[in-house]
Amino acid sequence: VERLLDFAAGELNGVKRGDAGTHVIVSIRKLMSELKSVVKPLCTKKGLMWEQRADDASCITDFVTLKMVLLNLLANAVKFTREGSVSCE
């Protein structure tokens, strides 16, 4: 898993594995906003719609690793979606 995350980090701008392992309180709304800033332009470039829904909830997690995993999943969703939309809830 660590090698996969390192590989994914190399493909995603602005995400570094250096701070992984640090658990912090993460705002779901803030996380979704950061994901949107990366994924929505990818969707637009491919003619796809970006949809998201976020609660005001928060959680304690390893923010760096969570963000990398979600960005990797969403980037793959964009890559393999031919038409329609990509969404994150």
Side-chain angles (χ1 to χ4, degrees):
V1 172
E2 292 296 317
R3 287 174 42 217
L4 176 63
L5 292 175
D6 288 336
F7 176 76
E11 293 185 342
L12 301 171
N13 296 330
V15 180
K16 306 258 188 280
R17 289 265 304 147
D19 295 328
T22 304
H23 288 76
V24 295
I25 298 173
V26 175
S27 161
I28 302 300
R29 192 172 299 266
K30 181 178 185 250
L31 173 62
M32 293 294 283
S33 176
E34 291 189 28
L35 294 173
K36 177 182 176 181
S37 71
V38 174
V39 179
K40 187 174 180 183
L42 299 175
C43 288
T44 301
K45 185 176 180 180
K46 248 188 113 174
L48 301 171
M49 297 289 296
W50 165 253
E51 300 172 355
Q52 74 178 49
R53 186 173 7 172
D55 294 332
D56 285 331
S58 60
C59 63
I60 297 174
T61 188
D62 178 342
F63 176 74
V64 174
T65 301
L66 176 61
K67 183 177 175 181
M68 284 192 328
V69 168
L70 291 174
L71 282 172
N72 191 28
L73 290 170
L74 291 167
N76 281 334
V78 172
K79 181 178 180 179
F80 295 108
T81 300
R82 291 184 181 172
E83 60 183 43
S85 65
V86 172
S87 63
C88 187
E89 297 181 21

